[in-house]
Amino acid sequence: MQEKIYLRPLCLSDINKKYLTWVNDPSVTEYLEIGKQSLKHNDLVKYIEDAPKNGRHNFAIITKNSKLHIGNGSIYSIVPEKSKFEIGYFIGEKFFWGGLYSSLVIFNLLKIGFMNMGLKKCVGYINETHIKARMTNKFSGYKEIKKINKVNRKNKKKINVFEIEITKKNWLKNIEKLHKLHPGFFFMM
């Protein structure tokens, strides 16, 4: 059964063996640009401690009933004068791959960016070959704007990505549609 999730600020006490396993598992990080593999405890401490000065807001993804930490999400690349931002996330606990979990994470990150931070547009890039993520982003209301070539920071190879975006106005319209489809999961509070 699909469990609801919520986001809370990521903290140093979240760094544990499970978290280290996630960020060092190539199947979890395949489409992430986290840089080097073999991250150590100190790398994650630095990442969390440096986040505020780097303009990054990190969140733990927690299941509502079982209170499990299943992954992380971030809001970053905030450009206040253009009122735009980017989001990123991963679900490290493979048992929670599938269902509505990714869509719920996107919903909650966008809710924070649009409603709590007052931003107006979320932009990003998605690997052309990551079909599941492309479908999830479309379900979440993103539009694929254009296909471009980028260099993958991890392996320095050229890849095709889609530039994607969603505005606050379109997100609010999409929430109405999602609420009708899944009333217990997508709602504004």
Side-chain angles (χ1 to χ4, degrees):
M1 171 129 185
Q2 175 81 39
E3 216 180 315
K4 294 178 186 177
I5 58 111
Y6 65 93
L7 305 180
R8 66 154 172 76
L10 188 65
C11 55
L12 292 175
S13 64
D14 291 319
I15 302 172
N16 55 31
K17 186 177 179 180
K18 177 171 65 170
Y19 185 177
L20 279 165
T21 300
W22 297 341
V23 297
N24 289 305
D25 181 341
S27 66
V28 172
T29 64
E30 179 179 2
Y31 294 102
L32 302 179
E33 292 189 6
I34 63 170
K36 67 177 184 172
Q37 291 297 309
S38 300
L39 294 171
K40 306 281 188 247
H41 185 272
N42 289 342
D43 297 319
L44 299 179
V45 169
K46 182 171 174 34
Y47 172 74
I48 291 172
E49 287 179 340
D50 289 352
K53 68 182 169 201
N54 292 330
R56 188 174 199 96
H57 303 264
N58 293 323
F59 302 93
I61 304 166
I62 308 295
T63 56
K64 253 189 176 152
N65 295 329
S66 57
K67 306 291 186 222
L68 293 174
H69 178 196
I70 64 169
N72 298 333
S74 298
I75 295 175
Y76 58 96
S77 296
I78 300 166
V79 183
E81 57 276 3
K82 292 188 177 182
S83 196
K84 72 178 189 176
F85 64 105
E86 293 185 44
I87 64 170
Y89 70 94
F90 70 87
I91 297 176
E93 287 298 316
K94 294 177 185 177
F95 177 78
F96 295 92
W97 287 9
L100 292 173
Y101 292 106
S102 292
S103 298
L104 288 167
V105 173
I106 292 169
F107 168 80
N108 281 287
L109 287 168
L110 292 175
K111 184 177 176 181
I112 293 167
F114 291 141
M115 306 308 286
N116 297 10
M117 300 171 90
L119 300 167
K120 304 284 187 234
K121 183 191 278 188
C122 184
V123 298
Y125 302 94
I126 190 158
N127 190 307
E128 176 184 41
T129 64
H130 197 343
I131 303 302
K132 195 172 185 180
R134 288 177 62 197
M135 290 171 51
T136 300
N137 281 296
K138 185 175 181 177
F139 176 80
S140 298
Y142 277 93
K143 303 272 187 268
E144 290 182 349
I145 305 304
K146 63 182 173 183
K147 187 158 96 170
I148 58 175
N149 288 317
K150 277 186 83 170
V151 175
N152 183 308
R153 286 189 272 181
K154 218 185 318 190
N155 61 20
K156 308 295 184 221
K157 292 182 181 178
K158 285 189 176 184
I159 57 171
N160 290 325
V161 298
F162 282 99
E163 183 179 331
I164 60 173
E165 72 177 32
I166 186 169
T167 62
K168 180 179 180 179
K169 180 180 174 182
N170 288 338
W171 177 75
L172 289 168
K173 285 181 191 174
N174 196 53
I175 293 308
E176 291 177 26
K177 182 176 75 175
L178 292 177
H179 179 70
K180 287 177 185 171
L181 288 171
H182 305 282
F185 291 97
F186 298 97
F187 51 89
M188 300 295 292
M189 282 177 62

